[in-house]
């Protein structure tokens, strides 16, 4: 048979103390004040004389007025018994004096510097001083300590600091040379610093989880093509979109400005994400951006802009390669100063009106459209400004047979057409010397007035 372990406790007045002069208080009254759930609130009675083999009857009261264990000393034959449920509590916070004692124990600081250390951790919001002169760690302090401990625990454990203090004491006593101690300390902390920098991403994860719950930051920006839920825009760095329903993060290119492009969707089959606008350079060149296609590029569209050329992933390693690409983007390592999609992406291909003769890119119609109509290069800082008297430009489904670029329908303002007798004009810009003679080209920081065409493949 299993045997239970029973304990009992009681209290007996040894000396009255302050009760000798406070006649309105009686022994045991403290158990009726404050927290009656404490262990100290048991009946304040002396224990009866128990002998091995004694038997006591259990008495259960019909009214549960008290859950205390009570033994009737008159007969010594009856008792009541009840169970209590209690919760363990964490250790209380250190007081200033306790912290000073711990620092002295580990040899951290001197009599002159210890108080400064305690003042500094309060100024830096690592702790706050609460009632009872106790130091309560702040969320910032806890995350920093956890992060340091995760990367290099010696940065927060007292041993390293204690060793440095010990070496300084040896210098004061003439047992060690200052130059040797300084050299050793620099080598030690230089190695620790380099190791910390290499692993600082672990600290970023902790701060991201503790201070920036993604669902609590950002603003609804664009719709996901899979869930039709709004994605939250996190400005970063790095900038990214967050789906709080699926908890998927879509890193965005850095180096430009992200804007909304409401109501337009990616034409790639199975995508259907709402599109954004990505502007780079000065004056800015603007391109359409699909957050899904940017993060999940398809090889048939060509190399992804902004990424270093890497060996093609072996069959079966595509998933690992995608994870590595995502990690690089989340770390903000991909600077994109061109169109974020390859030229064969349907989103770019349907807007391409001409090859760019000065690069391996193409010229697309600026997605801002009017009233200032212009073409922008996907790979070079080139902008082609159409005449100011252009009122409307429409990209046609028809393509030219030579370059495979879309043709444009250009409509001029009433009475301002530079082409005699034509208010509407259809142009294949790559070989259209008439339109090439009317445009103004901005290439990099140089402004040129086009005269006699653009030359090369452009005319």
């Amino acid at each position: 048979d299993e045997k239970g372990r029973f304990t009992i406790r009681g209290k007996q007045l040894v000396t009255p103390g302050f009760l000798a002069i406070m006649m309105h208080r009686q022994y045991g009254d403290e158990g009726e004040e404050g927290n009656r759930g404490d262990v100290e609130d048991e009946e304040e009675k002396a224990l009866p004389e128990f002998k091995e083999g004694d038997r006591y009857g259990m008495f259960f009261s019909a009214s549960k007025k008290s859950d205390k264990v009570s033994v009737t000393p008159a007969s010594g034959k009856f008792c009541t018994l009840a169970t209590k449920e209690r919760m363990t509590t964490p250790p209380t916070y250190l007081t200033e004096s306790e912290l000073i004692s711990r620092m002295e124990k580990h040899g951290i600081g001197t009599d002159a510097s210890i108080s400064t250390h305690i003042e500094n951790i309060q100024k830096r919001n690592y702790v706050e001083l609460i009632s009872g002169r106790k130091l309560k760690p702040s969320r910032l302090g806890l995350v920093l300590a956890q992060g340091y401990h995760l990367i290099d625990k010696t940065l927060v454990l007292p041993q390293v600091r204690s060793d440095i203090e010990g070496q300084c004491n040896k210098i004061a006593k003439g047992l060690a040379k200052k130059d040797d101690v300084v050299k050793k300390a620099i080598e030690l902390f230089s190695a620790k610093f380099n190791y910390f920098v290499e692993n600082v991403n672990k600290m970023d994860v902790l701060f991201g989880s503790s201070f920036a719950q993604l669902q609590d930051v950002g603003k609804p920006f664009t719709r996901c093509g899979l869930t039709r839920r709004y994605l939250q825009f996190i400005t970063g760095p790095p900038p990214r979109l967050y789906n709080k329903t699926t908890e998927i993060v879509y890193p965005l290119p850095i180096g430009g400005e992200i804007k909304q492009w409401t109501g337009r969707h990616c034409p790639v089959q199975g995508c259907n994400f709402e599109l954004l606008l990505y502007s780079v350079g000065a004056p800015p060149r603007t391109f359409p951006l699909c957050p899904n296609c940017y993060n999940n590029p398809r090889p048939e569209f060509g190399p992804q802009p902004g990424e270093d050329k890497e060996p093609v992933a072996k069959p079966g390693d595509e998933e690992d390669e995608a994870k590595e690409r995502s990690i690089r983007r989340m770390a903000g390592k991909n600077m994109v100063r061109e169109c974020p999609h390859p030229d064969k992406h349907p989103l770019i291909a349907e807007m391409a009106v001409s090859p760019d003769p000065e690069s391996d890119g193409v010229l697309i119609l600026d997605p801002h459209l009017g009233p200032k109509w212009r073409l922008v290069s996907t790979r070079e800082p080139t902008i082609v400004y159409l005449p100011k008297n252009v009122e409307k430009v429409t990209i046609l489904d028809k393509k030219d047979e030579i370059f495979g670029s879309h043709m444009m329908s250009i409509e001029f303002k009433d009475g301002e057409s530079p082409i005699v007798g034509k208010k509407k004009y259809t142009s294949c810009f790559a070989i259209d010397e008439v339109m090439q003679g009317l445009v103004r080209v901005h290439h990099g920081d140089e402004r040129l007035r086009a005269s006699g065409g653009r030359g090369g493949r452009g005319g």
Side-chain angles (χ1 to χ4, degrees):
D1 295 340
E2 294 184 1
K3 295 182 179 181
R5 184 185 178 196
F6 297 90
T7 61
I8 190 170
R9 70 177 65 201
K11 285 186 177 180
Q12 184 176 359
L13 180 62
V14 176
T15 176
F18 66 88
L19 294 176
I21 60 174
M22 298 182 67
M23 304 305 295
H24 64 283
R25 295 287 297 273
Q26 295 183 1
Y27 182 56
D29 286 350
E30 63 270 21
E32 300 176 1
E33 300 178 359
N35 184 3
R36 297 189 57 83
D38 293 338
V39 174
E40 300 300 325
D41 67 354
E42 302 289 357
E43 292 283 357
E44 315 298 341
K45 296 181 179 179
L47 294 177
E49 293 291 334
F50 285 101
K51 296 179 182 179
E52 187 174 354
D54 285 350
R55 293 176 179 269
Y56 291 84
M58 302 299 297
F59 173 74
F60 297 94
S61 175
S63 60
K64 301 269 185 178
K65 294 183 179 179
S66 174
D67 60 352
K68 298 175 181 178
V69 177
S70 177
V71 177
T72 307
S75 64
K77 298 297 183 182
F78 295 94
C79 65
T80 60
L81 177 66
T83 59
K84 289 188 176 183
E85 181 179 348
R86 301 188 184 278
M87 303 296 293
T88 57
T89 57
T92 186
Y93 301 114
L94 293 178
T95 63
E96 289 178 301
S97 60
E98 290 171 337
L99 179 58
I100 291 174
S101 298
R102 298 286 183 93
M103 294 176 70
E104 291 176 342
K105 175 183 176 181
H106 293 285
I108 297 176
T110 64
D111 293 340
S113 65
I114 285 179
S115 60
T116 303
H117 293 325
I118 296 177
E119 182 181 0
N120 285 339
I121 62 176
Q122 294 181 64
K123 286 182 177 180
R124 296 169 184 172
N125 294 321
Y126 298 158
V127 298
E128 60 176 316
L129 190 63
I130 61 175
S131 177
R133 306 297 297 179
K134 295 179 180 179
L135 297 168
K136 179 182 178 181
S138 66
R139 180 183 295 184
L140 173 61
L142 289 173
V143 172
L144 280 174
Q146 291 171 355
Y148 289 136
H149 199 280
L150 184 64
I151 298 173
D152 183 357
K153 61 183 181 181
T154 61
L155 293 175
V156 286
L157 296 179
Q159 187 59 46
V160 172
R161 182 61 180 266
S162 178
D163 290 344
I164 295 295
E165 295 282 358
Q167 293 297 319
C168 291
N169 289 334
K170 288 185 178 180
I171 295 176
K173 296 177 181 178
L175 301 177
K177 294 182 179 180
K178 172 187 172 182
D179 293 341
D180 294 340
V181 172
V182 171
K183 180 180 179 181
K184 182 178 179 181
I186 291 176
E187 291 176 351
L188 173 65
F189 285 99
S190 177
K192 288 184 175 296
F193 175 79
N194 293 331
Y195 181 78
F196 187 89
V197 170
E198 293 174 359
N199 295 273
V200 73
N201 60 308
K202 296 180 181 179
M203 182 74 81
D204 293 337
V205 171
L206 284 174
F207 270 90
S209 300
S210 298
F211 287 95
Q213 295 295 330
L214 293 184
Q215 66 268 24
D216 297 332
V217 298
K219 61 180 180 178
F221 204 69
T222 185
R223 286 187 183 272
C224 171
L226 305 177
T227 64
R228 303 307 302 157
R229 302 276 186 172
Y230 272 104
L231 302 176
Q232 306 289 113
F233 179 48
I234 316 298
T235 56
R240 57 205 186 275
L241 296 172
Y242 172 68
N243 189 328
K244 63 181 180 181
T245 302
T246 61
E247 296 188 356
I248 295 177
V249 178
Y250 298 91
L252 300 175
I254 62 174
E257 183 180 2
I258 307 292
K259 299 179 181 179
Q260 293 172 304
W261 201 20
T262 308
R264 302 175 184 268
H265 296 83
C266 180
V268 174
Q269 185 176 3
C271 182
N272 204 36
F273 271 62
E274 275 191 353
L275 300 174
L276 305 173
L277 293 177
Y278 182 66
S279 300
V280 295
R285 294 174 297 137
T286 303
F287 307 100
L289 170 63
C290 172
N292 182 50
C293 291
Y294 177 72
N295 285 277
N296 301 286
R298 302 189 183 185
E300 61 266 29
F301 298 155
Q304 186 74 359
E307 292 189 352
D308 297 332
K309 294 183 179 180
E310 299 175 356
V312 179
K314 298 179 180 179
D317 292 342
E318 292 84 357
E319 184 177 352
D320 291 339
E321 170 63 24
K323 289 181 180 179
E324 289 293 329
R325 182 168 54 249
S326 178
I327 291 173
R328 291 194 298 271
R329 287 175 177 163
M330 284 301 295
K333 295 181 179 179
N334 286 346
M335 179 73 72
V336 179
R337 302 289 292 174
E338 55 186 309
C339 177
H341 295 298
D343 295 339
K344 293 182 180 179
H345 189 288
L347 186 58
I348 306 302
E350 68 181 14
M351 302 179 69
V353 297
S354 171
D356 180 9
E358 298 178 4
S359 72
D360 57 355
V362 296
L363 298 176
I364 66 171
L365 184 65
D366 188 304
H368 276 131
L369 305 179
K372 295 182 179 180
W373 299 91
R374 57 187 184 177
L375 310 179
V376 295
S377 171
T378 56
R379 306 298 156 217
E380 289 291 331
T382 301
I383 301 176
V384 179
Y385 292 93
L386 299 182
K388 293 182 179 180
N389 50 14
V390 172
E391 185 174 32
K392 183 179 180 181
V393 176
T394 304
I395 298 178
L396 305 176
D397 293 334
K398 184 179 179 181
K399 299 180 180 180
D400 73 87
E401 298 179 354
I402 300 176
F403 300 108
S405 302
H406 287 273
M407 301 182 71
M408 295 185 295
S409 174
I410 302 174
E411 185 175 346
F412 296 97
K413 298 177 181 179
D414 292 337
E416 297 185 21
S417 174
I419 304 175
V420 179
K422 290 187 177 182
K423 185 176 187 300
K424 290 185 178 181
Y425 180 75
T426 300
S427 171
C428 177
F429 188 77
I431 56 176
D432 188 345
E433 295 184 0
V434 175
M435 281 304 302
Q436 291 179 21
L438 298 173
V439 301
R440 179 171 59 89
V441 180
H442 170 91
H443 180 74
D445 294 328
E446 182 181 8
R447 296 181 181 275
L448 299 176
R449 177 73 61 178
S451 59
R454 299 181 62 218
R457 290 170 54 189

